[in-house]
């Protein structure tokens, strides 16, 4: 088969046509353009639908008929469409890049956008499964033209011949595919019928399927392929009945029963459909595959660019007559039109959330219990929605899991931690001392808390630091702290190398002997010091000049804890230092922070020191009493 060449010029007197290797083209189609041989059924349906669309434009009263049948090794599709003459068969069926859907070709006045196919590949795509394609067609535009047979094989050859009138008396086309070796599985009747339903359930014409053994043979009662109107466009007696029907549609299509459904109706953009809310949490990084029909024909069931990334909690199915397909017609072309539709569909999902918040709080609460992460992602970019969702968004706080509205009713000053580990260490102490702390270590929480003052100007939101916590803890009486001055001096000396200060406070719960407090400034200073130790003389001078007055990490010893009192009374400074190092290591482990090499060395030294002290005390005469 050949394609047309560029016209000759005086300087190019011997211009020739390009020669196209059909086997190479089929390999290109099956391995690079199309994701699966299954698309051949779509191509057959597409050509038939376009043919009857053109016939209706020519003769609105014409009977419309599309019949599909299959047996193992053979697939047949018959339509009552526009048909072809012998000249058109030569021109359109065997020339790559030529399409009868282009405006004005062969007297066809119907505009191109009314057709499904726009790329002129046509029946050639069927060679991904066929060794031979036979087309019997008769033109509706030229009633005097004889029926035509176009017969092609996968070696790249074809013949065109006129047939007697008896071969086909009515206008239309019949296409018969003979499977090539190794592709018979794609022509099994059950598979062909399922593919036809998958691709063509929303097509605008009635399509039937019959299981037949030979051309013209009846293989049983014809079964309808199309199922119109789409479920989202059907009338229902009540909203509840509609929700039940949509839930059944979702279960059949996607395999899950949705929490809720969202109408996606954009008449201006030529988009109609529905989004189904997933019943289980899903990762924000997961890009759901949405199902897109183009003028009723299934384009793809894995479109990941249809909705905004934040709408990962829904799966959508739509039908559109405006969006552009890619060349393979297996996805949407990401252009300005799709970008505008994506934004409009996102606005529809956002409006659904607002409607639930205003009128159906129970359904909203059920949704947020599963998908609060998605709503938080959306609220980051929409202060109005954040204000709307504020009563419902859950956070982990020092007083338990609750909404921001509940938490801010008790706290006008909100502290937050940036890591889950920091929060888990400080939460019980903060709760006991009336300090309102929110765990912002989860996705989006820190961003939302930063936006909170814009929605609620009466609130003060700050990152938790060691100084704020220490100030909330009860001070120890001056006399007691003076009496423990030698102990505190020993403790500070032993932890100096770790960049950690030691303070004494009285706090609840009594069972916690020591609390390790750190903040961003302290971590930055520690990192600067580590860099200074490994830097050359030039960088040492620069980093040294950057030394700030930021507080260091703190080990807060609990004066209410009996163990701290016993350690502070030890007469042996060496044993006291080992005990303090053990307290430091235990507090680090409780905070679940990553250990630096110096921290691991300290933990090992303290553990071995305590073991040595314990074994020596057992061997001593006093230990034997």
């Amino acid at each position: 088969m050949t394609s047309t060449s560029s016209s000759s010029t005086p300087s190019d007197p011997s211009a020739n046509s390009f020669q196209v290797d059909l086997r190479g083209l089929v390999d290109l189609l099956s391995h690079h353009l199309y994701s699966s041989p299954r698309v051949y059924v779509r191509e057959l349906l597409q050509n038939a639908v376009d043919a009857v669309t053109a016939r209706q434009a020519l003769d609105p009263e014409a009977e419309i008929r599309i019949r599909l049948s299959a047996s193992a090794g053979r697939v047949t599709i018959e339509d009552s469409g526009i048909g072809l003459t012998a000249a058109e068969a030569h021109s359109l069926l065997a020339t790559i890049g030529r399409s009868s859907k282009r405006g004005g070709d062969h007297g066809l006045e119907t505009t191109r956008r009314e057709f499904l196919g726009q790329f002129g590949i046509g029946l050639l795509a069927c060679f991904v499964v066929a060794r031979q394609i036979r087309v019997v067609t008769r033109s509706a535009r030229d009633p005097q033209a004889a029926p035509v047979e176009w017969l092609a094989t996968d070696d790249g050859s074809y013949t065109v011949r006129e047939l007697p009138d008896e071969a086909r008396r009515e206008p239309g086309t019949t296409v018969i595919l003979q499977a090539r070796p190794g592709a018979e599985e794609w022509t099994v009747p059950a598979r062909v019928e399922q593919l036809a339903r998958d691709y063509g359930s929303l097509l605008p014409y009635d399509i039937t399927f019959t299981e037949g053994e030979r051309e013209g043979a009846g293989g049983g009662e014809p079964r309808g392929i199309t199922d119109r109107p789409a479920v989202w466009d059907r009338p229902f007696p009540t909203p509840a009945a509609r929700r039940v029907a949509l839930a059944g549609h979702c279960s059949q299509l996607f395999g899950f029963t949705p929490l809720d459904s969202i109408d996606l109706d954009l008449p201006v953009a030529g988009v109609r459909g529905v989004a189904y809310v997933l019943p289980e949490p899903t990762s924000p990084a997961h890009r759901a595959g949405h199902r897109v029909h183009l003028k009723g024909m299934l384009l793809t069931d894995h479109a990941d660019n249809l909705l905004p990334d934040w709408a990962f909690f829904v799966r959508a199915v739509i039908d559109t007559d405006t969006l552009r397909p890619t060349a393979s017609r297996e996805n949407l072309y990401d252009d300005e039109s799709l970008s505008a539709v994506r934004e409009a569909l996102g606005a529809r999902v956002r409006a659904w959330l607002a409607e639930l918040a205003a009128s159906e709080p129970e359904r909203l609460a059920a949704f947020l219990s599963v998908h609060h992460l998605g709503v938080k992602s959306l609220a980051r970019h929409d202060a109005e929605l954040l204000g709307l969702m504020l009563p419902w968004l859950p956070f982990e706080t020092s007083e338990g899991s609750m909404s921001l509205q509940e938490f801010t009713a008790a706290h006008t000053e909100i502290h937050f931690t940036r890591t889950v580990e920091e929060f888990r260490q400080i939460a019980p102490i903060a709760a006991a001392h009336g300090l309102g702390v929110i765990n912002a270590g989860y996705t989006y929480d820190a961003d939302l808390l930063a936006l909170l003052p814009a929605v609620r100007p009466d609130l003060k939101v700050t990152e938790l630091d060691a100084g704020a916590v220490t100030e909330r803890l009860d001070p120890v009486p001056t006399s007691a702290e003076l009496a423990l001055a030698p102990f505190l001096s020993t403790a500070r000396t032993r932890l100096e190398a770790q960049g950690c200060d030691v303070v004494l406070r009285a706090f609840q719960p009594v069972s916690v002997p020591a609390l390790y407090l750190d903040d961003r400034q302290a971590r930055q200073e520690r990192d600067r010091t580590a860099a200074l130790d490994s830097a050359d003389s030039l960088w040492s001078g620069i980093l040294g000049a950057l030394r700030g007055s930021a507080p260091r990490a703190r080990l807060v010893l609990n004066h209410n804890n009996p163990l701290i009192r016993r350690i502070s009374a030890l007469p042996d400074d060496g044993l006291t230092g080992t005990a303090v190092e053990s307290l430091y290591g235990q507090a680090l482990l409780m905070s679940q922070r990553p250990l630096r090499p110096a921290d691991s060395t300290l933990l090992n030294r303290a553990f071995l020191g305590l073991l040595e002290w314990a074994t020596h005390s057992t061997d001593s005469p006093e230990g034997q009493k």
Side-chain angles (χ1 to χ4, degrees), residues 322-481:
T322 60
L323 297 178
R324 290 176 56 196
T326 58
S328 66
R329 294 191 291 282
E330 294 189 277
N331 213 331
L332 291 171
Y333 188 77
D334 209 336
D335 56 9
E336 291 182 0
S337 296
L338 179 57
S339 179
V341 166
R342 182 164 51 236
E343 184 177 343
L345 292 178
R348 186 65 198 91
V349 175
R350 183 174 56 188
W352 169 79
L353 288 172
E355 291 166 6
L356 288 189
S359 60
E360 300 187 69
E362 295 83 5
R363 286 172 63 195
L364 178 63
F367 165 75
L368 287 178
S369 67
V370 178
H371 293 298
H372 58 272
L373 198 59
V375 178
K376 288 181 177 181
S377 172
L378 173 58
R380 291 181 306 150
H381 307 292
D382 192 327
E384 182 180 349
L385 185 66
L386 176 62
L388 182 67
M389 294 287 106
L390 190 64
W392 308 100
L393 291 177
F395 286 83
E396 185 177 5
T397 78
S398 52
E399 298 176 9
S401 180
M402 61 178 62
S403 70
L404 275 179
Q405 184 77 356
E406 294 172 314
F407 189 72
T408 55
H411 302 279
T412 57
E413 183 176 3
I414 297 175
H415 300 275
F416 67 91
T417 64
R418 289 192 177 272
T419 67
V420 175
E421 293 76 20
E422 284 181 279
F423 175 80
R424 288 175 179 168
Q425 185 190 26
I426 198 62
I429 290 91
H433 291 268
L435 186 66
V437 181
I438 291 179
N439 180 5
Y442 297 120
T443 306
Y444 307 134
D445 285 3
D447 293 339
L448 289 177
L449 290 174
L451 293 172
L452 189 56
V455 179
R456 291 279 304 274
D458 56 311
L459 297 176
K460 181 181 179 183
V461 180
T462 58
E463 184 174 352
L464 185 71
D465 60 60
V469 177
T470 306
E471 290 172 5
R472 285 297 187 106
L473 304 180
D474 296 333
V476 176
T478 304
S479 58
E481 189 161 6

Side-chain angles (χ1 to χ4, degrees), residues 152-209:
T153 58
D154 62 358
D155 65 359
S157 64
Y158 74 93
T159 60
V160 176
R161 65 187 179 105
E162 293 188 349
L163 301 176
D165 283 350
E166 293 76 16
R168 187 177 184 100
R169 293 194 175 276
E170 298 295 327
T173 302
T174 300
V175 180
I176 306 103
L177 305 185
Q178 295 287 351
R180 56 192 176 90
E184 292 87 355
E185 62 176 302
W186 295 103
T187 62
V188 173
R191 189 163 201 174
V192 174
E193 181 178 8
Q194 181 55 49
L195 289 174
R197 291 184 187 279
D198 204 32
Y199 280 117
S201 62
L202 298 184
L203 287 172
Y205 307 112
D206 290 336
I207 301 172
T208 61
F209 175 84

Side-chain angles (χ1 to χ4, degrees), residues 48-393:
V49 168
D50 287 343
V52 297
T53 299
R55 177 74 183 278
Q56 276 205 321
L58 181 71
D59 179 8
E61 302 301 322
E63 178 188 359
I64 297 303
R65 181 181 66 255
I66 300 176
R67 298 170 180 169
L68 181 66
S69 63
S71 60
R74 181 188 183 114
V75 176
T76 302
I77 188 167
E78 178 190 0
D79 67 67
S80 58
I82 196 69
L84 299 172
T85 64
E88 290 169 349
H90 273 293
S91 175
L92 300 176
L93 298 183
T95 304
I96 299 170
R98 182 75 59 83
S99 174
S100 65
K101 290 95 176 180
R102 291 178 178 162
D105 277 1
H106 306 285
L108 185 61
E109 300 299 332
T110 308
T111 57
R112 225 184 139 190
R113 61 175 173 269
E114 295 180 9
F115 297 99
L116 297 173
Q118 297 184 10
F119 295 92
I121 295 176
L123 285 177
L124 295 184
C126 295
F127 277 114
V128 297
V129 299
R131 64 175 177 82
Q132 176 184 283
I133 300 176
R134 180 174 181 244
V135 178
V136 177
T137 182
R138 186 162 196 164
S139 174
R141 284 191 295 267
D142 184 358
Q144 303 305 315
V148 175
E149 178 195 67
W150 180 88
L151 184 65
T153 58
D154 62 358
D155 65 359
S157 64
Y158 74 93
T159 60
V160 176
R161 65 187 179 105
E162 293 188 349
L163 301 176
D165 283 350
E166 293 76 16
R168 187 177 184 100
R169 293 194 175 276
E170 298 295 327
T173 302
T174 300
V175 180
I176 306 103
L177 305 185
Q178 295 287 351
R180 56 192 176 90
E184 292 87 355
E185 62 176 302
W186 295 103
T187 62
V188 173
R191 189 163 201 174
V192 174
E193 181 178 8
Q194 181 55 49
L195 289 174
R197 291 184 187 279
D198 204 32
Y199 280 117
S201 62
L202 298 184
L203 287 172
Y205 307 112
D206 290 336
I207 301 172
T208 61
F209 175 84
T210 304
E211 186 172 343
E213 294 299 325
R214 66 185 186 278
E215 183 180 359
E221 289 296 321
R223 296 185 287 271
I225 294 298
T226 49
D227 185 23
R228 303 184 319 273
V231 64
W232 54 82
D233 284 330
R234 296 173 190 171
F236 293 95
T238 64
R242 186 173 188 272
R243 280 199 294 268
V244 170
L246 289 174
H249 176 252
C250 176
S251 179
Q252 181 180 18
L253 204 61
F254 294 125
F256 65 85
T257 301
L259 281 177
D260 210 339
S261 57
I262 308 167
D263 282 321
L264 303 177
D265 185 7
L266 303 175
V268 175
V271 173
R272 285 282 293 154
V274 62
Y276 294 114
V277 181
L278 294 167
E280 297 178 351
T282 186
S283 168
H286 174 68
R287 302 193 70 179
H290 306 293
R291 191 175 175 91
V292 177
H293 295 258
L294 178 63
K295 302 182 182 72
M297 180 74 78
L298 178 67
L299 187 70
T300 179
D301 55 8
H302 53 267
D304 60 3
N305 56 356
L306 179 66
L307 290 176
D309 289 345
W310 55 258
F312 57 83
F313 49 83
V314 299
R315 294 283 300 277
V317 52
I318 68 162
D319 188 20
T320 176
D321 57 12
T322 60
L323 297 178
R324 290 176 56 196
T326 58
S328 66
R329 294 191 291 282
E330 294 189 277
N331 213 331
L332 291 171
Y333 188 77
D334 209 336
D335 56 9
E336 291 182 0
S337 296
L338 179 57
S339 179
V341 166
R342 182 164 51 236
E343 184 177 343
L345 292 178
R348 186 65 198 91
V349 175
R350 183 174 56 188
W352 169 79
L353 288 172
E355 291 166 6
L356 288 189
S359 60
E360 300 187 69
E362 295 83 5
R363 286 172 63 195
L364 178 63
F367 165 75
L368 287 178
S369 67
V370 178
H371 293 298
H372 58 272
L373 198 59
V375 178
K376 288 181 177 181
S377 172
L378 173 58
R380 291 181 306 150
H381 307 292
D382 192 327
E384 182 180 349
L385 185 66
L386 176 62
L388 182 67
M389 294 287 106
L390 190 64
W392 308 100
L393 291 177

Side-chain angles (χ1 to χ4, degrees), residues 364-605:
L364 178 63
F367 165 75
L368 287 178
S369 67
V370 178
H371 293 298
H372 58 272
L373 198 59
V375 178
K376 288 181 177 181
S377 172
L378 173 58
R380 291 181 306 150
H381 307 292
D382 192 327
E384 182 180 349
L385 185 66
L386 176 62
L388 182 67
M389 294 287 106
L390 190 64
W392 308 100
L393 291 177
F395 286 83
E396 185 177 5
T397 78
S398 52
E399 298 176 9
S401 180
M402 61 178 62
S403 70
L404 275 179
Q405 184 77 356
E406 294 172 314
F407 189 72
T408 55
H411 302 279
T412 57
E413 183 176 3
I414 297 175
H415 300 275
F416 67 91
T417 64
R418 289 192 177 272
T419 67
V420 175
E421 293 76 20
E422 284 181 279
F423 175 80
R424 288 175 179 168
Q425 185 190 26
I426 198 62
I429 290 91
H433 291 268
L435 186 66
V437 181
I438 291 179
N439 180 5
Y442 297 120
T443 306
Y444 307 134
D445 285 3
D447 293 339
L448 289 177
L449 290 174
L451 293 172
L452 189 56
V455 179
R456 291 279 304 274
D458 56 311
L459 297 176
K460 181 181 179 183
V461 180
T462 58
E463 184 174 352
L464 185 71
D465 60 60
V469 177
T470 306
E471 290 172 5
R472 285 297 187 106
L473 304 180
D474 296 333
V476 176
T478 304
S479 58
E481 189 161 6
L482 287 174
L484 295 176
F487 162 68
L488 293 174
S489 177
T490 299
R492 288 168 182 147
T493 300
R494 292 299 286 263
L495 297 183
E496 176 66 29
Q498 311 305 123
C500 182
D501 199 5
V502 178
V503 297
L504 188 66
R505 291 291 187 272
F507 56 86
Q508 300 296 326
V510 174
S511 59
V512 178
L515 176 65
Y516 181 82
L517 296 178
D518 201 1
D519 54 35
R520 184 169 52 184
Q521 289 180 317
R523 288 191 292 272
Q524 289 174 345
E525 179 64 18
R526 198 160 54 242
D527 292 343
R528 188 201 61 80
T529 302
L532 181 63
D533 293 340
S534 59
D536 57 27
S537 58
L538 174 60
W539 280 108
S540 294
I542 295 174
L543 292 170
L546 295 177
R547 180 184 298 274
S549 57
R552 299 189 300 173
R554 300 182 184 185
L555 182 67
V556 183
L557 303 178
N558 188 0
H559 189 251
N560 291 338
N561 183 270
L563 178 61
I564 294 298
R565 297 194 178 197
R566 288 197 295 271
I567 292 175
S568 65
L570 289 173
D572 187 337
D573 287 347
L575 180 57
T576 298
T578 299
V580 169
E581 289 180 339
S582 299
L583 289 171
Y584 172 83
Q586 187 264 352
L588 272 181
L589 294 174
M590 289 297 293
S591 69
Q592 301 183 35
R593 300 168 190 270
L595 296 180
R596 297 171 298 166
D599 294 330
S600 299
T601 301
L602 177 143
L603 274 171
N604 289 332
R605 182 174 66 242

Side-chain angles (χ1 to χ4, degrees), residues 1-4 18-37 39 43 92-98 119-130 133 150 152-158 180 327-328:
M1 296 183 184
T2 63
S3 69
T4 57
F18 288 106
Q19 300 299 312
V20 177
D21 178 8
L22 183 59
R23 285 198 174 100
L25 176 64
V26 169
D27 180 72
L28 177 67
L29 294 175
S30 58
H31 291 99
H32 300 283
L33 186 61
Y34 295 135
S35 62
S36 166
V39 298
E43 297 295 335
L92 300 176
L93 298 183
T95 304
I96 299 170
R98 182 75 59 83
F119 295 92
I121 295 176
L123 285 177
L124 295 184
C126 295
F127 277 114
V128 297
V129 299
I133 300 176
W150 180 88
T153 58
D154 62 358
D155 65 359
S157 64
Y158 74 93
R180 56 192 176 90
S328 66

